Amino acid sequence: MLSYTLCALHQLYYDPNIENKNLAQKWLMQAQVSPQAWQFCWVLLRPEKVPEIQYFGASALHTKISRYWGDIPTEQYNTLKTQLFSQIARFASGSKIVLTRLCVALASLALNMMPEAWPGAVSEMVHMFQEEGGEVDGRARCLALLELLTVLPEEFQTSRLPQYRKGQVRAALGREWTAVYPLLQQLLRQPDSPPLVKARVLKCLSSWVLLDVPLNESEGLVEACFTALSDPELFDTAVEAIVNTISQPDSQRYVDTLLKLVPQVLQLQEQLRDAIRNGDMETSHGICRIAVSLGENHSRALLEQVEHWQSFLALVNMIMFCTGIPGHYPVNETTSSLTLTFWYTLQDDIMSFEAEKQAVYLQVYRPVYFQLVDVLLHKAQFPTDEEYASWSSDEKEQFRIYRVDISDTLMYVYEMLGAELLSNLYDKLGRLLTNTEQTTTWQHTEALLYGFQSIAETIDVNYSDLADTVMFTIGVCSHISAPTITFPRALAEWLADHPVMLSSVLPLVLQALGNPDLSVSSVSTLKKICRECKYDLPPYASNIVAVSQEVLIKQIHKTSQCMWLMQALGFLLSALPVEEILRNLHSLITPYIQQLEKLAEETPNPSNKLAIIHILGLLSNLFTTLDITKQEEESGENAPPIKSVPPQTGPNPVVVVLQQVFALIQTVLSKWLNDSQVVEAVCAIFEKSVKTLLHDFAPMVSQLSEMLGQMYSTIPQASALDLTRQMVHIFASQTNDFPPIKALFELVTSVTLTIFQQGPRDHPDIVDSFMQLQAQALKRKPDLFLSESLDVKAVFHCGVLSLKFPEAPTVKSTCLFFTELIPHCADIPPVAQVVQEDGKLLLLAVLEAIGGQSSRSLMDQFAEVLFCLNKHCFALLTVWLKEALRSPGFPSSRVSLEQKDTFSQQVLRERLNKRRVKDIVKEFTLVCRGLHGTEYAADY
């Protein structure tokens, strides 16, 4: 065993072949837990071995002690303890990683023996390492002892002790603090203690306070930590020790000690300012962590000490300074974000007091929170354009998230400050507008508007003060051109109830449409207004259409903004009478139709392809939101009587336009039929129109069905199948529309079956869409499977083949098809026949997948197919399962015949509980893959 272990270790550390490394690691993991590990681990720790081998020996010891404690005879406890002490003493001057691992092993031994078998364990450890003698010098012994004392609480946190034992051991460790505290205090206060020793002492303190050591019992050490903050070598570990100590939940009980800590934190302000002046981000960050930790964890306890209110207010102001620390987050500083949670906590604590006490605290802290708003708005400001351009994409994303956090904080602060905060921001905007002596940057103004937006998103849109806010927002926006300004949806909703304001808002928005820098915000604002206020917009419709048409022709906006703009116009036109809709549509889309006609005559090339897709996209987005069918619903149910719109008569305007351009679209398709992107763009127009218009699209069903059939017959593409599925979903149940839908369905099915005969592997998108189409047909119109023109058997076999595709979406769609198909065994004879004759093939494919041929993430879908077979074909499934699972090595060589029988019986018992079948399949697939009981199965 020893020679194999040494060989495996050599492979693990020195063999360049990754497969050999993996095999070695697997073997070593098994060796660690073997009974022989007790023998070879001591041999591996011998002085002549290299540190890597010694480390494995120490790790094996820890594994055996921590996981297999029950294997150790009681009479060997003390021998094992003595051996570990001896090894630690030897490695005190040796390899640090081996020493640490041996300390962890001894810590695990102590935890398992405490308190009965090893009372006073920590005291004995301290005594053992303080004894003079041996070849190890005092400094090395001291560091080894500190390492052991540090890992002991850490090992307790991750130990596998039973819950009742954990409580006993925690109590025993708590009593041992009296042996640890004097040692740590002595080492910190000794003038000749090296910095390395002091750093280990601070780390040891950080570890022990996690055991809820009473704060008053570590008071002297915490004071020493504050002293250590002046030493650059100890600063980081001292910060960690202080933060860990005062963050313990139990420490709030020791108010007297907390009150002593406040002045010590306040004394750090000069060091904080010096660090900021010198650009020392690490020091400023550490000091702010301490201040925030004290305030955040103990704000209520300190608030209640009324006689010390001034010192706590000073701490709050120190945290305010940390919030407003100079520089832009995250480039110049990373500290201010730490403080935001504190302001939530302080506000919650203040608002939780009874009314009389709360009023007193609000008198003191409302001004603080108004100051906080000013600080947050300043921190939310963008840097100069040049500086922002130099930031990396990651820094910009961090800044965006930071601003969201600031917005959330402002929303919360509004709960305390209320209307006065809105008035305060309003006054600031007013001063900006009237200040002619000083030029205001757009960053300053944008930050104020961002503050308004944060609040407007949370308050009641009927709040009367918003009228002034809207007016001042309009006034400010007209003076700046910031690419970041957005228009809150709350204000758009407010405008819907206060339409008189539209005459002031719309000119600003329409003016902004012509500014490329305001592209995103202006277009999204217009879209929000058109969606929320469309019944108040008819008087402005012609102007909105004209301005939009102008900016579209000038190509001011990027493609995505052009699409949003067309959606906005769709909302706008939906509220107009049909004749006005048609007139505006004619004006709006005629230039694009003319351009499309020219492009259709040209020889296909990449340039005109992009132009064609762009135009088709504009039409798609326009038809997505142009929906006159909602007028009657909304005017009757939601809108006030003054906004009511008479019912529309005649054909739907979208259908009228589509009929007019249908021949042109066919011409475009004839030249671009082999280009999937153009075909997708064409299908998108009709798919979005069908989704929006629903049964109003009926006049075009016959035309579109014929065109789709021709398209798919020539060059099959997934987008054509997706549109067919949408048509089946809406029109298959309509008597008048059924014949063309039936003919289309049979045609695309026949063409797709040909693809399967030729080899479908190169077309997973088509297979995916085809299976979704078949499932939709079964769901909406099962009678389609009664047709003699439909080869149900071939479709079934295509489904079985599709289950074996590696693409997860395709497999999911196929499983959906079978869960829709199987229930129709009772009412559709062709389905019953194919399931009876070839259902076993389906079962075999499902079992192969469960056995390991498909991703574990798909097991729920395969379980649903199995459940359907069990529910609707129980007698057949019973026979098929018995025959299939009898084959040796199927569906996996890792499962025994007994395990297969158990699986079969479990499945057959569950004909009503689908959730249970899913659990059974998940359990069985883990066994089939050899993962049952491993860490890989833990989260499955």
Side-chain angles (χ1 to χ4, degrees):
M1 183 64 149
L2 176 61
S3 59
Y4 284 122
T5 303
L6 291 170
C7 180
L9 285 167
H10 187 275
Q11 275 190 321
L12 179 65
Y13 290 116
Y14 305 114
D15 194 322
N17 188 305
I18 191 66
E19 289 186 10
N20 291 343
K21 282 180 180 288
N22 291 336
L23 286 171
Q25 186 171 25
K26 189 174 181 180
W27 192 91
L28 287 167
M29 288 175 67
Q30 294 172 343
Q32 265 190 330
V33 301
S34 67
Q36 292 84 356
W38 285 117
Q39 283 73 46
F40 71 67
C41 60
W42 301 109
V43 178
L44 298 180
L45 285 166
R46 287 177 180 172
E48 67 271 14
K49 304 298 183 185
V50 295
E52 290 89 344
I53 291 176
Q54 292 171 335
Y55 178 82
F56 180 79
S59 295
L61 270 174
H62 173 248
T63 300
K64 296 298 287 185
I65 293 169
S66 61
R67 297 188 185 182
Y68 301 94
W69 178 252
D71 296 346
I72 307 173
T74 308
E75 61 271 14
Q76 291 186 16
Y77 288 175
N78 287 325
T79 304
L80 185 56
K81 177 174 64 173
T82 303
Q83 286 177 300
L84 282 168
F85 269 126
S86 173
Q87 291 290 344
I88 290 172
R90 187 164 65 80
F91 277 95
S93 302
S95 169
K96 174 67 170 61
I97 59 169
V98 180
L99 173 65
T100 299
R101 211 71 201 138
L102 288 168
C103 288
V104 172
L106 181 56
S108 183
L109 179 77
L111 294 173
N112 279 290
M113 293 176 67
M114 292 171 71
E116 296 87 359
W118 194 0
V122 177
S123 300
E124 185 177 338
M125 291 174 187
V126 173
H127 176 72
M128 288 283 292
F129 283 93
Q130 283 181 330
E131 284 185 344
E132 295 291 339
E135 300 178 359
V136 183
D137 66 81
R139 180 172 175 273
R141 281 201 318 276
C142 178
L143 289 172
L145 174 59
L146 289 171
E147 184 69 19
L148 177 57
L149 294 177
T150 300
V151 301
L152 183 60
E154 294 172 353
E155 179 68 7
F156 173 77
Q157 303 294 341
T158 58
S159 67
R160 301 180 177 219
L161 295 171
Q163 201 58 41
Y164 79 96
R165 285 274 296 134
K166 274 212 165 188
Q168 293 174 350
V169 175
R170 178 185 280 275
L173 285 171
R175 292 190 294 271
E176 296 279 18
W177 175 242
T178 55
V180 178
Y181 178 83
L183 172 69
L184 300 185
Q185 191 167 44
Q186 178 189 355
L187 291 172
L188 270 183
R189 289 182 174 177
Q190 279 180 352
D192 58 343
S193 284
L196 179 59
V197 171
K198 289 185 176 181
R200 295 287 177 82
V201 169
L202 295 173
K203 189 178 177 185
C204 186
L205 172 62
S206 286
S207 181
W208 274 83
V209 296
L210 297 176
L211 296 173
D212 295 330
V213 170
L215 183 61
N216 62 341
E217 293 182 14
S218 58
E219 191 175 311
L221 285 174
V222 177
E223 289 179 10
C225 290
F226 276 97
T227 304
L229 290 171
S230 59
D231 186 339
E233 290 186 65
L234 301 176
F235 181 83
D236 289 339
T237 47
V239 168
E240 209 62 42
I242 294 170
V243 169
N244 285 345
T245 302
I246 60 182
S247 298
Q248 295 310 304
D250 195 51
S251 58
Q252 60 188 337
R253 295 196 294 130
Y254 306 98
V255 178
D256 290 341
T257 305
L258 291 173
L259 289 172
K260 293 177 186 177
L261 292 177
V262 174
Q264 295 185 67
V265 174
L266 294 176
Q267 287 175 4
L268 299 174
Q269 290 181 92
E270 189 58 39
Q271 187 179 355
L272 174 61
R273 292 191 181 91
D274 288 343
I276 292 171
R277 277 194 296 270
N278 298 327
D280 185 353
M281 290 174 63
E282 288 76 14
T283 299
S284 60
H285 191 83
I287 294 174
C288 287
R289 276 188 68 199
I290 293 171
V292 170
S293 184
L294 181 60
E296 190 175 312
N297 287 287
H298 306 294
S299 63
R300 186 176 183 88
L302 294 171
L303 277 169
E304 288 177 332
Q305 310 311 306
V306 181
E307 65 276 14
H308 297 279
W309 70 272
Q310 288 176 310
S311 64
F312 182 60
L313 181 59
L315 177 65
V316 172
N317 285 325
M318 181 179 178
I319 296 173
M320 180 76 76
F321 179 78
C322 295
T323 304
I325 196 166
H328 287 287
Y329 182 94
V331 177
N332 313 115
E333 62 91 5
T334 56
T335 298
S336 57
S337 62
L338 296 176
T339 67
L340 298 181
T341 308
F342 164 75
W343 298 110
Y344 285 84
T345 304
L346 179 60
Q347 180 176 328
D348 285 343
D349 288 336
I350 291 171
M351 302 306 286
S352 68
F353 288 117
E354 61 273 14
E356 186 176 341
K357 204 171 184 180
Q358 184 186 118
V360 174
Y361 284 113
L362 286 175
Q363 191 173 356
V364 175
Y365 287 100
R366 276 176 67 87
V368 173
Y369 272 86
F370 275 112
Q371 181 188 352
L372 173 66
V373 171
D374 291 339
V375 169
L376 292 177
L377 291 177
H378 179 74
K379 293 297 293 182
Q381 286 186 27
F382 277 78
T384 62
D385 294 334
E386 296 78 15
E387 186 180 349
Y388 189 67
S390 69
W391 286 12
S392 68
S393 58
D394 184 53
E395 288 168 341
K396 289 177 180 178
E397 176 61 12
Q398 288 184 59
F399 182 62
R400 183 193 68 78
I401 295 170
Y402 176 66
R403 277 171 53 99
V404 172
D405 292 339
I406 287 178
S407 175
D408 292 343
T409 308
L410 289 171
M411 286 163 49
Y412 207 72
V413 170
Y414 176 79
E415 299 296 323
M416 175 192 278
L417 302 181
E420 194 176 344
L421 173 57
L422 204 59
S423 177
N424 180 279
L425 295 177
Y426 168 82
D427 290 340
K428 291 181 190 298
L429 277 173
R431 288 194 295 273
L432 276 178
L433 282 178
T434 56
N435 187 354
T436 56
E437 298 177 2
Q438 187 175 357
T439 304
T440 303
T441 63
W442 72 258
Q443 288 90 342
H444 187 186
T445 310
E446 188 276 337
L448 271 173
L449 292 175
Y450 187 70
F452 266 121
Q453 178 183 336
S454 302
I455 298 167
E457 295 289 2
T458 63
I459 62 180
D460 184 353
V461 294
N462 292 314
Y463 191 72
S464 60
D465 283 4
L466 270 177
D468 292 331
T469 301
V470 173
M471 290 307 297
F472 268 90
T473 301
I474 292 166
V476 174
C477 287
S478 65
H479 285 75
I480 64 173
S481 59
T484 53
I485 289 179
T486 58
F487 194 82
R489 180 172 179 179
L491 295 184
E493 293 171 352
W494 183 87
L495 282 171
D497 295 323
H498 301 80
V500 68
M501 302 293 293
L502 283 168
S503 59
S504 300
V505 174
L506 279 173
L508 167 68
V509 177
L510 294 178
Q511 180 187 353
L513 280 180
N515 186 341
D517 290 334
L518 293 171
S519 178
V520 174
S521 55
S522 62
V523 174
S524 63
T525 296
L526 181 62
K527 181 180 171 183
K528 291 171 186 174
I529 292 174
C530 289
R531 180 177 57 218
E532 303 297 334
C533 313
K534 61 184 177 184
Y535 294 114
D536 299 297
L537 292 177
Y540 312 98
S542 58
N543 192 28
I544 294 173
V545 172
V547 173
S548 300
Q549 191 169 358
E550 182 182 354
V551 299
L552 285 169
I553 291 172
K554 289 182 178 179
Q555 298 181 346
I556 290 173
H557 303 290
K558 293 181 180 178
T559 299
S560 57
Q561 279 73 60
C562 291
M563 303 305 159
W564 293 356
L565 190 51
M566 292 302 268
Q567 289 178 22
L569 294 174
F571 286 124
L572 171 71
L573 296 179
S574 297
L576 301 179
V578 169
E579 58 274 14
E580 288 188 37
I581 295 175
L582 289 170
R583 185 169 62 250
N584 280 287
L585 278 176
H586 182 268
S587 168
L588 181 64
I589 68 175
T590 295
Y592 294 109
I593 301 304
Q594 292 171 346
Q595 186 181 354
L596 192 60
E597 286 174 343
K598 292 179 182 177
L599 291 168
E601 295 172 1
E602 297 176 6
T603 304
N605 63 67
S607 176
N608 56 27
K609 170 186 170 178
L610 291 176
I612 289 171
I613 291 174
H614 180 74
I615 293 171
L616 295 174
L618 292 175
L619 295 176
S620 294
N621 281 274
L622 176 64
F623 297 155
T624 298
T625 54
L626 205 173
D627 185 8
I628 64 170
T629 60
K630 291 187 178 179
Q631 286 188 356
E632 294 177 44
E633 302 168 19
E634 294 183 2
S635 64
E637 295 174 16
N638 302 324
I642 193 171
K643 298 180 183 179
S644 62
V645 179
Q648 305 285 17
T649 57
N652 191 291
V654 173
V655 174
V656 172
V657 172
L658 285 175
Q659 286 175 329
Q660 291 173 351
V661 301
F662 196 82
L664 175 57
I665 290 175
Q666 285 182 305
T667 303
V668 171
L669 269 178
S670 65
K671 288 194 173 183
W672 290 92
L673 197 53
N674 61 343
D675 190 294
S676 62
Q677 290 178 305
V678 174
V679 173
E680 282 177 17
V682 169
C683 289
I685 291 180
F686 294 104
E687 187 173 1
K688 290 180 178 180
S689 301
V690 169
K691 284 182 178 178
T692 303
L693 304 182
L694 300 176
H695 297 294
D696 280 1
F697 190 84
M700 293 207 65
V701 168
S702 181
Q703 265 180 301
L704 181 57
S705 297
E706 185 179 351
M707 186 185 82
L708 272 175
Q710 292 171 353
M711 281 170 53
Y712 196 74
S713 298
T714 308
I715 300 181
Q717 297 201 31
S719 53
L721 287 174
D722 293 335
L723 179 52
T724 302
R725 174 168 52 86
Q726 196 68 38
M727 300 270 284
V728 168
H729 174 67
I730 295 171
F731 298 108
S733 299
Q734 304 298 311
T735 305
N736 293 337
D737 301 314
F738 181 67
I741 293 294
K742 179 175 180 288
L744 174 62
F745 176 75
E746 291 174 355
L747 176 61
V748 297
T749 298
S750 174
V751 172
T752 310
L753 292 178
T754 304
I755 294 175
F756 270 90
Q757 291 170 0
Q758 296 169 351
R761 188 63 204 90
D762 295 332
H763 307 283
D765 55 335
I766 290 179
V767 174
D768 184 4
S769 296
F770 178 67
M771 287 298 151
Q772 290 187 52
L773 169 61
Q774 298 298 316
Q776 185 68 260
L778 285 161
K779 190 172 186 177
R780 299 294 292 181
K781 193 68 173 177
D783 291 355
L784 287 167
F785 279 71
L786 290 169
S787 171
E788 293 181 0
S789 303
L790 190 74
D791 191 340
V792 177
K793 189 180 184 73
V795 173
F796 182 91
H797 280 269
C798 289
V800 173
L801 185 61
S802 303
L803 285 177
K804 301 177 183 180
F805 271 49
E807 290 82 7
T810 303
V811 176
K812 286 183 179 180
S813 300
T814 308
C815 288
L816 176 64
F817 160 66
F818 280 117
T819 57
E820 293 290 347
L821 178 85
I822 295 167
H824 288 291
C825 287
D827 57 1
I828 301 180
V831 171
Q833 183 179 351
V834 72
V835 171
Q836 187 164 3
E837 292 175 357
D838 298 324
K840 185 180 175 182
L841 294 176
L842 171 60
L843 176 66
L844 291 172
V846 170
L847 291 175
E848 280 179 12
I850 296 171
Q853 295 301 310
S854 289
S855 167
R856 282 192 291 153
S857 64
L858 296 168
M859 290 306 107
D860 277 356
Q861 283 74 29
F862 285 110
E864 290 190 4
V865 177
L866 202 55
F867 178 76
C868 273
L869 285 169
N870 196 28
K871 187 175 182 180
H872 300 281
C873 312
F874 177 75
L876 292 170
L877 181 64
T878 304
V879 176
W880 294 338
L881 268 175
K882 187 175 182 180
E883 292 174 353
L885 295 177
R886 191 181 299 157
S887 302
F890 182 85
S892 166
S893 59
R894 294 186 177 92
V895 288
S896 65
L897 186 60
E898 183 182 355
Q899 288 171 318
K900 290 192 281 188
D901 286 342
T902 302
F903 169 70
S904 177
Q905 291 166 15
Q906 287 176 328
V907 169
L908 293 172
R909 272 200 301 266
E910 300 296 339
R911 300 184 65 188
L912 298 175
N913 191 338
K914 187 190 296 184
R915 180 71 263 166
R916 175 64 185 140
V917 173
K918 289 181 178 181
D919 292 339
I920 293 166
V921 168
K922 285 182 178 179
E923 189 80 9
F924 188 61
T925 196
L926 290 173
V927 176
C928 289
R929 297 165 198 260
L931 297 175
H932 191 266
T934 68
E935 58 185 295
Y936 299 103
D939 298 325
Y940 185 50

